[in-house]
Amino acid sequence: MDLQAILDDIHDSLSPRRGEGRVADYIPQLAHVDPKKFGMAVVTVDGAVHLAGDAQEPFSIQSISKVFTLTLALGKHGEAIWKRVGREPSGSAFNSIVQLEYEGGIPRNPFINAGAIAITDLVLAGHTPKEAIGEIVRFMRYLADEDDIIVDQDVARSEQATGFRNFALANFLRSFGKLDHAAELVLGVYFHQCALALSCRQLARAGLFLANSGINPLTGHRVVSHLRARRINALMLTCGHYDGSGDFAYRVGLPGKSGVGGGILAVAPGKASVAVWSPGLNDNGNSLLGSLALEMLAARTGWSIFGA
Ligand code: GLU
């Protein structure tokens, strides 16, 4: 299979549609990005890298960071994290507060905002916010095996200034006794993790351990156990695309996590890690072109976990 030819072909056929969809602007700094950007990266478990379009340009990974903080929290606290968050798709918007109220402060899953804030609270345990941010950045560098991964401070500040709903969610969690640290401290970390800037290439490298039973084939380091990798993939499949997770499983058939910056990380177990980026979002808040590109890639490679 000529993966590079497949990627080039997908990129070329979708290129005329660059700019479609709606760029997220509720975080003002995100609205400054060029809507025509479109990049794709596939890194196979044997380390081969295939790129197309703007695959080397860093973008705001936003909610994709939640996969990595979940991995860190599981490493620190093990299965005890499931006392704080559930493992079910939410069926409501990523920043919904209603469900949190009637479910007593236990967010449905680690990928909606409330759940991710609860997870960040666990990552913060025993640290100052600055240390926790440092730990997250170091973890991303370790996973991608690249030292130049940074936090985009403008994006972090922009969200800090406008993240009223996230403050509401965090305070709500705290009112239920489900947040150990003050809302401002947890959100200080959360906004920085969301503002991590990675290129498609770096992101695909960082996610590779999930495609390779928990071992990063680039470094040979075991990041998580086989079982844990499988479970994180299961959560990505069921909860990784807001209330469009069912549709993504139907169309693409791969565990994935999207972010409002227009990025998607997808995992083809045993095969490859894939990252796509196009800022225009569809009605569910997932990258419009990115989802289409992954649908085409899964169709041409036969990588869907539900069968070729
Ligand atoms: N930082 C964003 C927020 O909390 C992340 C949203 C997302 O990518 O889903 O609103």
Side-chain angles (χ1 to χ4, degrees):
M1 179 161 59
D2 186 345
L3 268 175
Q4 187 61 48
I6 294 175
L7 266 197
D8 289 340
D9 197 44
I10 295 172
H11 183 266
D12 291 350
S13 58
L14 287 176
S15 249
R17 298 184 59 180
R18 282 180 305 148
E20 279 186 26
R22 218 175 148 255
V23 176
D25 57 5
Y26 75 101
I27 301 171
Q29 192 63 26
L30 289 184
H32 296 157
V33 69
D34 177 356
K36 297 218 154 161
K37 293 288 177 190
F38 179 35
M40 304 175 66
V42 174
V43 184
T44 57
V45 291
D46 52 18
V49 178
H50 303 280
L51 308 176
D54 302 307
Q56 306 257 41
E57 189 169 325
F59 62 94
S60 193
I61 69 167
Q62 291 295 320
S63 275
I64 304 170
S65 66
K66 295 169 182 176
V67 173
F68 302 105
T69 45
L70 171 66
T71 306
L72 271 179
L74 279 165
K76 273 173 179 259
H77 304 275
E79 299 294 306
I81 71 162
W82 303 119
K83 292 196 205 108
R84 290 292 181 85
V85 291
R87 301 193 289 262
E88 294 296 340
S90 73
S92 35
F94 68 105
N95 56 5
S96 165
I97 204 161
V98 181
Q99 204 166 46
L100 194 57
E101 158 116 68
Y102 63 72
E103 292 183 356
I106 305 287
R108 272 287 174 98
N109 67 65
F111 295 151
I112 54 172
N113 282 13
I117 291 166
I119 292 293
T120 300
D121 183 51
L122 295 172
V123 172
L124 185 53
H127 288 302
T128 63
K130 207 172 164 193
E131 287 166 355
I133 294 165
E135 184 181 10
I136 294 167
V137 173
R138 276 194 302 280
F139 188 51
M140 297 309 294
R141 291 178 179 167
Y142 161 75
L143 291 177
D145 198 28
E146 299 213 2
D147 281 338
D148 59 347
I149 292 173
I150 53 154
V151 170
D152 182 330
Q153 296 294 342
D154 291 338
V155 173
R157 264 192 299 275
S158 181
E159 192 168 356
Q160 183 94 36
T162 55
F164 310 114
R165 195 178 271 258
N166 286 325
F167 277 101
L169 290 170
N171 279 307
F172 222 64
L173 286 168
R174 185 99 160 139
S175 78
F176 280 108
K178 303 294 183 198
L179 206 67
D180 295 331
H181 304 86
E184 332 47 287
L185 301 184
V186 182
L187 289 177
V189 180
Y190 173 79
F191 294 143
H192 281 78
Q193 83 182 49
C194 289
L196 277 160
L198 274 76
S199 66
C200 288
R201 184 175 138 276
Q202 290 172 326
L203 185 58
R205 286 168 65 96
L208 200 52
F209 73 99
L210 291 169
N212 194 47
S213 306
I215 296 174
N216 183 344
L218 302 172
T219 58
H221 295 160
R222 176 169 286 288
V223 181
V224 294
S225 67
H226 179 103
L227 177 64
R228 189 159 284 167
R230 201 172 73 202
R231 287 174 164 174
I232 295 169
N233 285 336
L235 287 161
M236 289 169 75
L237 183 82
T238 51
C239 311
H241 280 80
Y242 315 112
D243 42 344
S245 298
D247 190 55
F248 188 81
Y250 181 84
R251 287 169 43 197
V252 180
L254 294 174
K257 181 74 201 85
S258 73
V260 291
I264 303 176
L265 169 67
V267 175
K271 306 276 195 297
S273 169
V274 185
V276 295
W277 171 48
S278 168
L281 308 179
N282 63 21
D283 290 343
N284 283 319
N286 299 306
S287 174
L288 193 149
L289 242 55
S291 310
L292 286 171
L294 287 169
E295 186 174 1
M296 291 166 81
L297 183 71
R300 297 203 192 168
T301 54
W303 282 350
S304 164
I305 61 167
F306 301 109

